[in-house]
């Protein structure tokens, strides 16, 4: 590497470090000036290249202020974790390696680390021992892969090879979903040819959990899709139905984008009791585990079905080594995303992850209690890390003003017909101090109008 190339890398690394170091000092949302300055990117494609140092300076000058500080400690929007420093550092090193993770031959280290994470995941999450894991972009893809594996399994029992013959004329499959299934699960169903609307929908209870008592008789031609962690309430479907569904021959899939991690917490694992009996699970690294984007896992009890659904052939594709990562994912070439996850799992260990999940759930309970004490209505039963609060007719104003206040960031939703502010505590960086500071800001903003009106 020549001196100039080295300077470019140092410039990027230094700026990245400065960004991380200063993130707590800045407002969570970008300022209106920073947003206006994004116009700087409206350049014509340069005819001749521009100096790389200038490019990195430019990106930092106009790009960094235009970010949302979701990698800080007071971002409670959507379900967004930060990046644990160990994961970020591992990610940087892995980016320097620039490994193509598709084959063992193109990255022996990635293939090795995938097998380790696969083993650790089955130890820490409520999934079947010996499950196979695919490293995908997020739960949208994890749901897709798991449902593809389910389709392969069910149709092969009817001697139908869906990979070869497709869906036209295939024996019908019934898909059962909860009323509160996440949109990404429905999208996965549509991408697989099942249709978003060709499903049996089971009503949910007051906290968005599937009413498992209303599930009809199932059979071997059925996929039952359950959910651990309703995106609004954090509600976790009751897993006690799973053994019954299995005895009827159904394939049970669990979308556990964040809620599956409740199973890693000593205090919360009762919520996911029975989950290990399911057939497939989808979860994210980039939410509660605080792995950088993008990072999701498809987990399948019988890896053979996942491999059949995801695999492909190419005479040039070297099949050497103990693990061929592309057999478990839709992509052939991709980044070595297991490495970031391995770094967090190794750094925190089972106890550290237990602590992270337990602590963030406790913050959610604390916030819910304090908001209630202050006279505001909490709309959900706080089971995990999500709080839904209503400020009555002021809800939209409060959300808008919280976002522009900059102390913290919360988004909005509609829950059972009522507008609500969502508070999702997913960051490993969030401390008690952050929670108190954020609560103060929420109460100040919420009371603002009343004070002015008096
Ligand atoms: C329950 C559930 N499923 C699926 C998803 C989609 O996950 P991703 O954005 O990683 O694709 C989410 C996102 O919040 C979720 O909460």
């Amino acid at each position: 590497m020549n001196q100039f190339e080295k300077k470019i890398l140092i410039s990027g690394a230094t700026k990245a470090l400065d960004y991380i170091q200063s993130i707590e000092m800045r407002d969570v949302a970008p300022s209106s000036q920073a947003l206006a300055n994004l116009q700087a990117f409206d350049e014509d494609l340069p005819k001749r290249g521009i100096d790389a140092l200038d490019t990195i300076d430019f990106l930092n000058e106009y790009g960094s202020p235009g970010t949302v500080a979701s990698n800080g400690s007071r971002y409670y929007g959507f379900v967004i974790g930060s990046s644990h420093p160990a994961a970020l550092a591992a990610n940087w090193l892995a980016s320097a390696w620039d490994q193509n993770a598709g084959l063992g031959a193109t990255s022996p280290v990635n293939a090795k680390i995938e097998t380790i994470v696969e083993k650790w995941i089955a130890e820490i999450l409520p999934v079947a021992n010996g499950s196979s894991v695919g490293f995908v972009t997020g739960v949208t893809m994890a749901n897709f892969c798991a449902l593809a594996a389910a389709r392969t399994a069910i149709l092969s029992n009817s001697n139908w090879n869906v990979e070869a013959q497709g869906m036209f004329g295939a024996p019908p499959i019934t898909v059962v979903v909860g009323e509160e299934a996440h949109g990404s699960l429905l999208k996965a169903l549509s991408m697989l040819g099942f249709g978003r609307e060709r499903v049996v929908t089971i009503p949910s209870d007051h906290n968005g959990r599937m009413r498992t008592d209303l599930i009809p008789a199932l059979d071997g031609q059925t996929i039952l899709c359950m959910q651990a962690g309703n995106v609004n309430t954090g509600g976790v479907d009751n897993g006690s139905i799973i053994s019954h569904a299995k005895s009827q021959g159904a394939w049970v899939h669990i979308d556990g984008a964040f809620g599956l991690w409740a199973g890693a917490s000593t205090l919360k694992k009762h919520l996911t009791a029975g989950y290990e009996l399911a057939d497939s699970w989808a979860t994210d690294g980039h939410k509660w585990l605080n792995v950088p984007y993008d990072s999701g896992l498809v987990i399948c009890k019988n890896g053979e079905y996942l491999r059949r659904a995801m695999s492909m052939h190419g005479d040039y594709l070297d099949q050497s080594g103990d693990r061929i990562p592309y057999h478990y994912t839709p992509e052939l070439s991709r980044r070595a995303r297991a490495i970031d996850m391995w770094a967090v799992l190794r750094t925190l260990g089972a106890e550290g992850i237990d602590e992270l999940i337990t602590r963030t759930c406790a913050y959610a309970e604390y916030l819910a209690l304090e908001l209630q004490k202050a006279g505001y209505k909490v709309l959900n039963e706080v089971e995990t890390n999500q709080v839904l609060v209503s400020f009555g007719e002021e809800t939209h104003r409060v959300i808008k003003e919280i976002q522009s206040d900059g102390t913290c960031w919360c988004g909005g939703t509609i829950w059972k017909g009522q507008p609500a502010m969502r508070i999702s505590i997913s960051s490993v960086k969030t401390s008690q101090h952050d929670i108190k500071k954020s609560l103060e800001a929420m109460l100040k903003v919420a009371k603002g109008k009343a004070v002015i009106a008096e």
Side-chain angles (χ1 to χ4, degrees):
M1 178 186 291
N2 66 34
Q3 284 310 308
F4 186 63
E5 285 167 346
K6 198 166 163 188
K7 255 177 137 174
I8 298 165
L9 294 181
I10 290 173
S11 164
T14 312
K15 288 178 175 64
L17 212 53
D18 286 348
Y19 177 83
I20 301 283
Q21 273 176 335
S22 61
I23 202 162
E24 304 301 343
M25 262 102 80
R26 54 163 285 185
D27 285 352
V28 177
S31 67
S32 47
Q33 186 59 58
L35 293 178
N37 288 349
L38 291 175
Q39 281 177 5
F41 288 96
D42 291 331
E43 300 177 298
D44 292 333
L45 172 68
K47 205 167 178 133
R48 287 188 171 172
I50 296 173
D51 181 352
L53 278 173
D54 179 275
T55 299
I56 299 303
D57 282 347
F58 184 97
L59 182 63
N60 188 43
E61 183 173 350
Y62 298 107
S64 294
T67 57
V68 172
S70 50
N71 197 9
S73 58
R74 291 187 299 279
Y75 186 80
Y76 312 123
F78 310 94
V79 187
I80 290 190
S82 61
S83 289
H84 189 287
L88 185 57
N91 176 289
W92 287 352
L93 185 54
S95 292
W97 292 346
D98 191 25
Q99 299 287 277
N100 184 331
L103 297 170
T106 51
S107 183
V109 61
N110 171 70
K112 179 71 190 171
I113 288 177
E114 286 198 4
T115 61
I116 303 301
V117 175
E118 183 175 69
K119 187 163 85 65
W120 288 357
I121 281 294
E123 286 172 29
I124 196 165
L125 289 181
V127 302
N129 279 330
S131 290
S132 292
V133 172
F135 295 83
V136 292
T137 48
V139 163
T140 303
M141 276 326 283
N143 280 333
F144 173 84
C145 298
L147 293 168
R151 187 179 67 168
T152 297
I154 291 174
L155 291 180
S156 66
N157 286 339
S158 307
N159 295 320
W160 188 272
N161 179 343
V162 68
E163 282 74 42
Q165 295 168 264
M167 287 288 268
F168 296 107
I173 293 176
T174 305
V175 181
V176 179
V177 303
E179 182 187 9
E180 279 288 327
H182 192 268
S184 67
L185 185 109
L186 301 176
K187 177 173 165 176
L189 288 172
S190 76
M191 290 195 289
L192 288 161
F194 285 120
R196 288 176 204 225
E197 293 175 12
R198 209 189 133 278
V199 291
V200 177
T201 304
I202 308 296
S204 57
D205 71 4
H206 65 279
N207 218 35
R209 293 169 296 220
M210 184 192 272
R211 288 273 311 275
T212 48
D213 55 315
L214 299 180
I215 295 175
L218 307 170
D219 58 26
Q221 295 295 115
T222 306
I223 306 172
L224 170 64
C225 301
M226 300 181 68
Q227 182 167 265
N230 176 288
V231 74
N232 283 315
T233 65
V236 178
D237 286 355
N238 187 335
S240 63
I241 186 78
I242 298 174
S243 62
H244 179 61
K246 289 302 307 159
S247 69
Q248 294 181 307
W251 178 288
V252 180
H253 169 66
I254 295 171
D255 173 351
F258 63 99
L260 201 62
W261 292 93
S265 154
T266 317
L267 270 185
K268 295 287 173 184
K269 67 194 312 175
H270 61 278
L271 293 172
T272 59
Y275 274 46
E276 62 286 348
L277 300 175
D279 296 282
S280 59
W281 305 259
T283 195
D284 267 323
H286 57 222
K287 291 188 167 70
W288 225 349
L289 191 61
N290 284 258
V291 173
Y293 288 98
D294 43 32
S295 177
L297 298 174
V298 52
I299 306 164
C300 206
K301 179 158 70 186
N302 187 338
E304 185 50 31
Y305 294 123
L306 183 61
R307 279 191 295 275
R308 272 169 59 185
M310 294 296 129
S311 205
M312 61 165 176
H313 176 76
D315 286 330
Y316 74 107
L317 295 173
D318 188 323
Q319 301 292 304
S320 62
D322 292 336
R323 180 180 172 93
I324 315 293
Y326 86 79
H327 288 318
Y328 303 87
T329 62
E331 305 91 348
L332 173 57
S333 300
R334 62 174 169 84
R335 75 180 189 94
R337 57 173 70 87
I339 294 173
D340 320 348
M341 188 173 282
W342 166 84
V344 178
L345 292 171
R346 189 172 189 274
T347 303
L348 291 181
E351 284 179 14
I353 292 165
D354 184 344
E355 189 275 336
L356 162 66
I357 304 302
T358 307
R359 172 166 55 93
T360 40
C361 289
Y363 290 157
E365 274 170 36
Y366 169 82
L367 276 180
L369 209 66
E370 292 301 315
L371 287 162
Q372 272 169 328
K373 273 196 221 158
Y376 303 108
K377 194 166 171 198
V378 170
L379 302 182
N380 65 321
E381 181 191 327
V382 179
E383 286 180 64
T384 53
N385 60 341
Q386 307 286 123
V387 181
L388 288 181
V389 55
S390 163
F391 300 95
E393 289 181 357
E394 298 289 305
T395 303
H396 287 304
R397 175 191 67 80
V398 173
I399 295 169
K400 211 163 151 249
E401 288 185 19
I402 286 278
Q403 291 178 357
S404 58
D405 168 77
T407 307
C408 63
W409 200 98
C410 299
T413 192
I414 306 280
W415 179 247
K416 306 272 182 208
Q418 282 193 66
M421 187 172 89
R422 298 178 68 255
I423 311 171
S424 175
I425 323 272
S426 309
S427 171
V428 67
K429 297 180 185 172
T430 303
S431 66
Q432 208 166 359
H433 172 72
D434 291 309
I435 292 292
K436 290 202 162 138
K437 191 168 167 172
S438 305
L439 178 66
E440 259 171 44
M442 287 173 200
L443 294 179
K444 192 183 85 194
V445 166
K447 285 177 188 152
K449 181 80 179 291
V451 171
I452 293 162
E454 273 164 12

